[in-house]
Amino acid sequence: MLTFDLDDKARLSLERLLPRLQPILAGADDPDGFIRRLHQHFPRLFGLLHDLYGDQYDFFYHLEEILRTAAQSYAERSAELHALDQRREADHLWFQREQMVGGVCYVDLFAKTLAGLRKHIPYFCELGLTYLHLMPLFKAPEGNNDGGYAVSSYREVDPRLGTMAELSKVAAELRHNGISLVVDFVFNHTSDEHEWARKAIEGDAKYEQFYFMFDDRTVPDEYQRTLREIFPEHRRGNFTFREDIGKWVWTTFHSFQWDLNYANPDVFNAMLGEMLTLANNGVEVLRLDAVAFIWKQMGTSCESLPQVHAIIQAYNALARIAAPAMIFKSEAIVHPADVGSYVKWEECPIGYNPTLMALGWEALATREVKLLLKSMQNWFHIPADCAWVNYVRSHDDIGWTFADEDAQQLWINGYDHRQFLNQFYTGKFSGSFARGLPFNYNPANHDMRISGSAASLAGLEWALETKNERLIDHAIRRIVLLYGLALSAGGIPLIYLGDELGTLNDYSYQDDPAKAEDSRWVHRPVFDWRRAGRRSNAKTLEGRIFQTMTHLIQTRKTTPAFANGHTEFFESGNPHVLAYTRGGEVLALVNFSEQPQTLYAGAIVHHWRLTAPVKDISRPTGGIFTPGETYTLEPLQFVWLEKG
Ligand code: GLC
Ligand code: GLC
């Protein structure tokens, strides 16, 4: 009997496909490069696409279309990017270096336009950045467009910011300055003004199939029973009724963000084309937005389903073939176990670490490190060929995404603890230093998240009003402490630009009708270049923060132990102090309380011979010393002790 297993099928279909791809590749400057990579990644790609779309009667037609898209964009890729592809293949763990330091900003808020941004490249270099995430900058609807996360065209830059040609130029110029361009791939949804959505509205059957559209509530009601609501303040439920067409459309986020239907292979292929176009414009890291939501299945939460992983892995395999210099970063702000499930070499080699981010703030509020420590011990570990992106603040809200199971083991009730953290960070808890705002309070379960700038959440806004020097100092220490953690925990540290100057909340969004309903705008102010001008004066607030941060950044960049590698979090013997070692060479100690804290050598010697001389590399005045029986940390101080 003749049986074909998947490998045979893959081999045979590759044999059939190759001659059909040759004419497309004829125009490429290195056609063999594509063929070589295709041979290498095809078996895996075939398996993934077969799992996703193998039951479609015209599966092989779709397969061919998908590979044509990849070949076409490979043929259009520039010589400079082909050269980068080769360098990155030879050095595929480039993103793990201690020299990696990321920054993120909005083009319009930072520099008005892409042309303006180019003039600020020296500022990025001064900070030591090697990675720059430009927030969504594509064409989007007027008025509320969720900060650009409702994309109307992936091939057109928002005309107020510039053009696609300018974006390519920015990418190249950044690269020549040692900085990789990062942009979003908002692939869970398009805006309702995207050409595909417009055609669907006109009744074009092909494009109706690109989205989830229903004639009545029967099916939506079935789905809704098991769905979480993301923006309950704006609209209850996850579907939007469109009067103009009399249909319900699946909209996980806002009503104008239409979820794409990846069960349709045409959607997969169309978005592949958009993705590879971004790669060909010089994007080196693609931030996969809202990854968890891209596959729906009735009766489930429709988050992080197995097909989500298959889709990302298939895209990854196609990027390895057609644009291997580009890597993916996951944005999954979910349960820690699910966050980690996306971070794999063959899926997203790098991923946001929301668990460390949220629990850093949690530890500042409780002044205790037990939940942070347990969570890091349970969830920090990822495969050796990957890296976390460690951040303190982003353009989004803070959600308390720790695992309830971890909390329970420490006798902490997860629900109550989140209520406490929300009270604390909105300044309602007595004695709180924070000035945050609620984000998307859900009356059904009293859930909410927190908006606010790093400085305002860390107490700087309040401290400046009191004019109390000690409180101002504490606030600065909290900002620097969290950044110290991000810079040293292992992975790529990511600076939300403005934090290096202690940028406070900006309440002016409340006067703009397109923004007033979304408190995240409180921490998305126009970058204040007047304040930035004070950064070289160490006597100013800006100078104090900026200079401390740049010292830490430079230290990270010159300390090999801070390259990606083994991090061990362990019990310091003091409930207020987090302790971890980096590759056995550096010991980091972080005091989350406003009181001095003493550590006893015994607790630490076990993990690290703190009896030998060490060098305090966290401060310019650090010096070499031999610690005694005890070691005392100042209020909110952290140290990096390197073996001498
Ligand atoms: C991501 C973005 C967020 C946006 C959402 C919908 O989570 O970070 O700002 O609202 O996706 O695209
Ligand atoms: C949810 C989503 C996350 C998004 C956020 C925006 O938490 O999981 O992807 O960034 O909402 O507020």
Side-chain angles (χ1 to χ4, degrees), residues 179-249:
I179 303 174
S180 297
L181 175 65
V182 186
V183 304
D184 282 87
F185 189 43
V186 185
F187 73 134
N188 174 67
H189 42 262
T190 71
S191 90
D192 60 352
E193 294 182 8
H194 191 284
E195 190 193 344
W196 304 334
R198 287 178 195 260
K199 287 192 176 153
I201 291 170
E202 285 160 15
D204 183 328
K206 172 172 175 187
Y207 291 98
E208 283 177 342
Q209 312 278 325
F210 268 46
Y211 301 95
F212 296 90
M213 306 179 84
F214 308 95
D215 293 330
D216 59 49
R217 281 292 313 185
T218 322
V219 180
D221 282 342
E222 262 310 296
Y223 275 115
Q224 189 66 59
R225 295 214 307 240
T226 49
L227 297 179
R228 176 163 77 105
E229 297 176 77
I230 306 300
F231 292 147
E233 265 175 16
H234 299 277
R235 190 209 54 234
R236 302 311 308 271
N238 297 36
F239 300 86
T240 300
F241 185 66
R242 289 285 299 215
E243 306 266 353
D244 48 353
I245 46 175
K247 284 189 186 196
W248 290 88
V249 184

Side-chain angles (χ1 to χ4, degrees), residues 228 230-231 253 290 293 331 333 396-397 439 449 520:
R228 176 163 77 105
I230 306 300
F231 292 147
F253 293 88
F293 301 92
E331 191 250 348
I333 315 301
D396 275 330
D397 46 289
F439 179 71
R449 283 110 72 191
R520 289 175 297 175

Side-chain angles (χ1 to χ4, degrees), residues 9-207:
K9 268 198 197 166
R11 198 171 31 76
L12 287 173
S13 61
L14 184 57
E15 270 169 29
R16 286 223 314 256
L17 279 165
L18 280 173
R20 293 164 184 260
L21 299 177
Q22 294 290 4
I24 305 176
L25 292 168
D29 47 29
D30 173 24
D32 295 344
F34 185 90
I35 305 286
R36 175 174 56 77
R37 294 175 181 120
L38 183 60
H39 277 287
Q40 193 184 339
H41 299 285
F42 190 77
R44 185 163 67 94
L45 176 65
F46 183 86
L48 291 161
L49 292 175
H50 195 270
D51 282 352
L52 287 163
Y53 306 119
D55 59 355
Q56 309 257 344
Y57 75 94
D58 50 358
F59 170 69
F60 287 96
Y61 161 78
H62 289 295
L63 181 68
E64 181 174 338
E65 290 296 296
I66 288 166
L67 284 165
R68 278 175 181 277
T69 303
Q72 188 61 46
S73 77
Y74 180 84
E76 287 161 10
R77 195 160 166 83
S78 73
E80 179 174 344
L81 292 173
H82 280 306
L84 183 68
D85 287 340
Q86 287 181 5
R87 287 206 301 282
R88 289 285 155 77
E89 279 183 318
D91 175 27
H92 72 292
L93 297 181
W94 60 279
F95 55 85
Q96 293 193 333
R97 297 217 174 87
E98 65 272 26
Q99 285 85 6
M100 288 297 297
V101 177
V104 48
C105 66
Y106 287 89
V107 174
D108 55 344
L109 301 175
F110 193 79
K112 294 201 172 75
T113 62
L114 283 170
L117 188 103
R118 287 169 60 194
K119 298 205 190 87
H120 290 300
I121 291 179
Y123 183 76
F124 304 136
C125 295
E126 182 184 339
L127 261 174
L129 303 189
T130 60
Y131 158 129
L132 182 68
H133 174 197
L134 296 181
M135 292 296 294
L137 38 71
F138 297 102
K139 201 171 147 196
E142 287 284 326
N144 186 0
N145 52 35
D146 193 18
Y149 281 98
V151 177
S152 302
S153 167
Y154 300 88
R155 296 181 190 233
E156 283 167 86
V157 166
D158 176 341
R160 282 165 297 201
L161 305 179
T163 62
M164 208 64 176
E166 277 179 289
L167 181 64
S168 288
K169 254 198 219 151
V170 167
E173 207 166 320
L174 287 171
R175 186 173 321 111
H176 302 154
N177 282 279
I179 303 174
S180 297
L181 175 65
V182 186
V183 304
D184 282 87
F185 189 43
V186 185
F187 73 134
N188 174 67
H189 42 262
T190 71
S191 90
D192 60 352
E193 294 182 8
H194 191 284
E195 190 193 344
W196 304 334
R198 287 178 195 260
K199 287 192 176 153
I201 291 170
E202 285 160 15
D204 183 328
K206 172 172 175 187
Y207 291 98

Side-chain angles (χ1 to χ4, degrees), residues 403-423:
D404 281 22
E405 310 83 277
D406 292 341
Q408 211 162 27
Q409 285 181 27
L410 299 165
W411 305 100
I412 297 171
N413 175 301
Y415 178 85
D416 292 346
H417 200 51
R418 289 189 182 88
Q419 297 292 324
F420 157 70
L421 291 166
N422 284 332
Q423 294 284 313

Side-chain angles (χ1 to χ4, degrees), residues 333-564:
I333 315 301
V334 286
H335 185 283
D338 290 329
V339 175
S341 72
Y342 294 94
V343 187
K344 295 180 205 126
W345 171 255
E346 63 280 8
E347 196 165 332
C348 298
I350 64 177
Y352 280 104
N353 188 350
T355 320
L356 177 64
M357 183 279 292
L359 289 170
W361 290 104
E362 187 268 352
L364 281 180
T366 59
R367 281 81 167 174
E368 289 199 345
V369 301
K370 59 186 177 196
L371 188 54
L372 171 60
L373 173 66
K374 187 173 229 15
S375 306
M376 290 306 110
Q377 288 177 328
N378 285 348
W379 310 111
F380 194 82
H381 185 78
I382 46 173
D385 47 8
C386 296
W388 285 119
V389 175
N390 294 317
Y391 62 116
V392 173
R393 284 302 287 117
S394 75
H395 67 290
D396 275 330
D397 46 289
I398 302 177
W400 307 110
T401 55
F402 56 82
D404 281 22
E405 310 83 277
D406 292 341
Q408 211 162 27
Q409 285 181 27
L410 299 165
W411 305 100
I412 297 171
N413 175 301
Y415 178 85
D416 292 346
H417 200 51
R418 289 189 182 88
Q419 297 292 324
F420 157 70
L421 291 166
N422 284 332
Q423 294 284 313
F424 188 92
Y425 278 106
T426 50
K428 297 215 172 67
F429 190 82
S430 122
S432 164
F433 49 74
R435 284 279 170 85
L437 295 180
F439 179 71
N440 271 280
Y441 172 70
N442 187 338
N445 53 17
H446 305 293
D447 191 25
M448 67 179 220
R449 283 110 72 191
I450 298 292
S451 293
S453 76
S456 289
L457 295 178
L460 191 58
E461 191 174 329
W462 167 68
L464 287 171
E465 283 164 21
T466 67
K467 298 204 172 63
N468 178 324
E469 253 316 308
R470 195 176 57 93
L471 298 179
I472 293 173
D473 182 56
H474 282 174
I476 294 177
R477 283 169 177 254
R478 288 189 195 99
I479 301 169
V480 176
L481 178 152
L482 290 184
Y483 272 103
L485 191 56
L487 282 157
S488 64
I492 305 174
L494 179 58
I495 302 167
Y496 188 60
L497 292 177
D499 284 358
E500 73 281 15
L501 301 166
T503 303
L504 300 179
N505 282 348
D506 173 2
Y507 299 94
S508 65
Y509 78 98
Q510 289 165 347
D511 306 324
D512 180 343
K515 296 179 174 165
E517 302 287 299
D518 188 334
S519 68
R520 289 175 297 175
W521 288 100
V522 83
H523 55 256
R524 300 171 181 173
V526 174
F527 194 86
D528 189 340
W529 286 101
R530 218 167 14 93
R531 295 190 58 230
R534 298 201 279 268
R535 67 187 181 279
S536 48
N537 181 349
K539 292 208 183 73
T540 63
L541 185 74
E542 295 80 7
R544 270 161 85 184
I545 303 175
F546 188 89
Q547 293 183 18
T548 314
M549 295 248 305
T550 42
H551 170 74
L552 294 172
I553 292 169
Q554 285 316 316
T555 305
R556 172 191 157 94
K557 294 182 79 156
T558 50
T559 305
F562 286 144
N564 210 61

